[in-house]
Amino acid sequence: MQSRVSLGALALLAQVPQDIARDNADVAAIARIAGNPEDLETLDAYCATGSLRRAADLLHLHHSSVARRLEQIAKTLGIELTEPTGLIRAGLALTAWRLLDD
């Protein structure tokens, strides 16, 4: 996990009251997928790279396997991960969720 210092402006999310962050639909959806480490790892790799193939390389998986995982994750999150706005939403929600664990 990244420290707050390395998050830069994303560390501003730490100033959001935790109850409000937990109640956010996107953060709550991340909490639901967090029970499956493979899904969390896949989403993290995709958000970090912004690319299906680079995420697959990072995870040492075939890109079609990662695509299937992301399709299911997107359904669970209710976020279109292939759209730039969806990728940003997922990344922000993932960061906000991680900050709740501090």
Side-chain angles (χ1 to χ4, degrees), residues 22-37 39-40 73-79 97:
R22 277 189 189 91
D23 289 343
N24 177 272
D26 291 349
V27 176
I30 294 293
R32 285 193 303 275
I33 71 161
N36 184 335
D39 285 350
L40 197 58
I73 291 167
K75 287 178 186 175
T76 301
L77 295 178
I79 297 174
W97 175 79

Side-chain angles (χ1 to χ4, degrees), residues 17-84:
Q18 290 201 1
D19 57 330
I20 291 173
R22 277 189 189 91
D23 289 343
N24 177 272
D26 291 349
V27 176
I30 294 293
R32 285 193 303 275
I33 71 161
N36 184 335
E38 286 182 351
D39 285 350
L40 197 58
E41 182 181 39
T42 301
L43 181 62
D44 191 36
Y46 184 65
C47 286
T49 63
S51 162
L52 177 68
R53 289 187 183 270
R54 287 192 304 226
D57 287 344
L58 191 64
L59 296 168
H60 306 290
L61 295 169
H62 193 272
H63 64 89
S64 63
S65 297
V66 174
R68 280 191 299 277
R69 283 186 188 180
L70 287 172
E71 184 177 317
Q72 187 58 44
I73 291 167
K75 287 178 186 175
T76 301
L77 295 178
I79 297 174
E80 182 54 59
L81 296 173
T82 59
E83 297 292 325

